[in-house]
Amino acid sequence: MSERGRREPVPLIRNQDFQLLWISRFFAGLGKESGEVAYPLLILLLVGSASQAGIIGAAQVATTMVAAVVGGFLADRVDRRALLLVCDTGRLLLLFTFAVLLINDEVGVLLTVGVAVASSALMGISTPVSMAALKQLVPPSQLASASAQNQIRFFGTTVLGAPLAGSLTSLGRAFPFVAEALCYLVSTALILRIRRPMQNPRRSKGRPWSPRETTSGFVVLLHHPLLRPMISWILGFNIAFTQSGVFLALIATADDRGASHLVVGLTVSLAGAGGLIGALVAGPVVRRVSPSRIFLFTAWSAPACALLLVVVPGVLTLGSVVAIVFTAVPCVNALFFGYVASSVPDHHQGRVLGAVTFMALLSQPIGIVGVGLIFDLFGPTPVFLTMAVISAAAALVTLGPTMRALPRPEGVATS
């Protein structure tokens, strides 16, 4: 038995290496989330074009999708700590240089797009790398709890990133990018303090590279008896309830009902707050409630709430209904990534997580475009009915025997 297997697990809060990684990724995520707002704001300041600002957002998502697959492959073949350091220091230098050019008025649209794409590529690579390290830093009995804590980081940076970028932009257009560079500086320093290795000895070292190996994470997901039905439901759910698409539906419906900008903002904030609340309670929930019940509740609450959106009056109530669904999402995410960490061998962790990231991001533009088209053609009621139909069809997966008798993540642990 390995030294890691003989050690008595310490409480997660006292696991210094995991907490260092968590805080490091919090700062990196905060920089990423603020950047996703800062780049479009900068384009609007430079040329006043909403369409060009939208192009940056699309380019960032597309780049992150592809880079995540590459990052997953690298995470299984290259030292993970070194990869994280390269990505963080690369973004640090990139953003610092960009801020200097902004101060000297030497930045145009093409350079802004290029920097946004390069930063997204480095983030896309580092995401599956840091997630793959979880299996080595946390014992099997704590993987679901560690994944739940990661949900606090994800939703926390989502909530904080946009106002941070907006407030810093009001001070000067270079300020958000200086702050983003500082986030990556802190993240780099924290990674250097992690003592334990982030992976098992590399079994694939010396093997020739092949394109098939790069995409093998998709194959593992397709054949995994637990992960296959889960990812099938997640894809359908994300198309119906992707955050950006739901927010677009809420904003358009509130505007259609004559709501003020303040009420529109409060409605979206109510919906988004559900995710943060869910992240804060995800740890206790995944420890005390059976995985099957969590999946069933989340899957079937989605179409029920979508139907409620058709009939509830007012505007703020729309945000409250969506918040119910978003509150359950972090618990499902914590379980799913707990299953990935526990049941997928270490030498496949990166590629599987890269495939998961790719598919999760792929569903976002589908959902956003679908909401926009249906709303423009038919109005809000068909939008919510479509969300109900798609999420209900996806939820049928949870009625199968596998999803109705899920073991806890620690019960399927592999090395």
Side-chain angles (χ1 to χ4, degrees):
M1 182 181 290
S2 67
E3 181 184 349
R4 176 175 174 262
R6 292 193 302 267
R7 248 193 332 260
E8 188 71 23
V10 299
L12 195 61
I13 191 66
R14 289 171 50 200
N15 184 332
Q16 183 177 2
D17 290 323
F18 167 71
Q19 297 300 340
L20 285 169
L21 179 66
W22 190 92
I23 299 170
S24 165
R25 294 303 93 194
F26 175 86
F27 278 98
L30 187 61
K32 175 252 185 187
E33 293 293 337
S34 63
E36 289 188 351
V37 176
Y39 290 112
L41 284 177
L42 179 60
I43 290 295
L44 290 172
L45 288 172
L46 290 174
V47 295
S49 171
S51 61
Q52 291 191 44
I55 288 173
I56 280 208
Q60 286 175 296
V61 172
T63 302
T64 303
M65 286 170 54
V66 177
V69 177
V70 176
F73 167 74
L74 292 174
D76 293 335
R77 292 185 62 103
V78 183
D79 184 82
R80 290 169 185 166
R81 186 199 309 270
L83 273 174
L84 290 176
L85 290 172
V86 167
C87 290
D88 283 356
T89 55
R91 282 178 286 178
L92 166 63
L93 296 173
L94 180 70
L95 272 297
F96 180 77
T97 303
F98 186 62
V100 171
L101 293 174
L102 268 174
I103 292 171
N104 293 324
D105 290 323
E106 297 176 2
V107 169
V109 173
L110 287 179
L111 179 60
T112 303
V113 174
V115 170
V117 167
S119 182
S120 295
L122 292 171
M123 174 56 79
I125 290 172
S126 65
T127 296
V129 176
S130 62
M131 294 169 70
L134 188 69
K135 189 179 183 75
Q136 297 305 309
L137 301 183
V138 176
S141 61
Q142 296 176 346
L143 285 172
S145 296
S147 297
Q149 185 174 323
N150 284 343
Q151 294 302 301
I152 299 175
R153 182 188 73 213
F154 172 78
F155 285 95
T157 56
T158 300
V159 169
L160 295 173
L164 177 65
S167 59
L168 289 175
T169 301
S170 66
L171 299 175
R173 57 189 187 179
F175 277 87
F177 303 102
V178 172
E180 190 176 350
L182 291 175
C183 285
Y184 300 134
L185 175 63
V186 174
S187 178
T188 301
L190 292 168
I191 290 294
L192 288 170
R193 293 190 57 196
I194 296 176
R195 294 168 298 176
R196 270 183 280 172
M198 295 185 180
Q199 65 209 113
N200 281 335
R202 295 191 295 278
R203 301 179 186 180
S204 58
K205 188 175 181 180
R207 290 212 324 250
W209 171 83
S210 69
R212 185 176 180 179
E213 186 179 359
T214 305
T215 58
S216 61
F218 295 94
V219 178
V220 173
L221 281 176
L222 181 64
H223 292 93
H224 196 290
L226 287 178
L227 299 181
R228 182 177 63 247
M230 290 180 192
I231 196 66
S232 299
W233 169 72
I234 288 171
L235 285 174
F237 175 87
N238 280 351
I239 291 174
F241 273 88
T242 182
Q243 181 172 287
S244 299
V246 172
F247 285 175
L248 175 60
L250 292 179
I251 292 168
T253 303
D255 183 68
D256 189 60
R257 295 182 181 181
S260 66
H261 293 309
L262 174 61
V263 172
V264 172
L266 288 174
T267 302
V268 173
S269 296
L270 270 174
L276 183 57
I277 293 170
L280 293 173
V281 303
V285 170
V286 298
R287 287 194 297 270
R288 297 172 185 173
V289 182
S290 73
S292 293
R293 288 183 179 179
I294 292 173
F295 270 96
L296 282 167
F297 173 80
T298 307
W300 290 101
S301 67
C305 287
L307 291 175
L308 268 179
L309 291 171
V310 176
V311 298
V312 293
V315 173
L316 290 176
T317 48
L318 297 174
S320 301
V321 171
V322 171
I324 296 172
V325 180
F326 283 180
T327 300
V329 168
C331 300
V332 166
N333 287 346
L335 281 173
F336 177 75
F337 287 112
Y339 284 116
V340 173
S342 61
S343 66
V344 175
D346 183 73
H347 62 280
H348 266 113
Q349 280 283 313
R351 280 167 287 180
V352 169
L353 289 165
V356 169
T357 302
F358 180 93
M359 289 189 286
L361 290 174
L362 181 64
S363 61
Q364 288 187 17
I366 297 173
I368 295 168
V369 172
V371 166
L373 286 175
I374 295 172
F375 192 95
D376 286 343
L377 292 173
F378 306 109
T381 297
V383 168
F384 299 137
L385 289 175
T386 302
M387 290 167 56
V389 170
I390 293 174
S391 57
L396 292 174
V397 176
T398 64
L399 300 180
T402 299
M403 295 292 286
R404 287 191 288 115
L406 288 172
R408 292 199 174 272
E410 59 268 24
V412 291
T414 62
S415 62

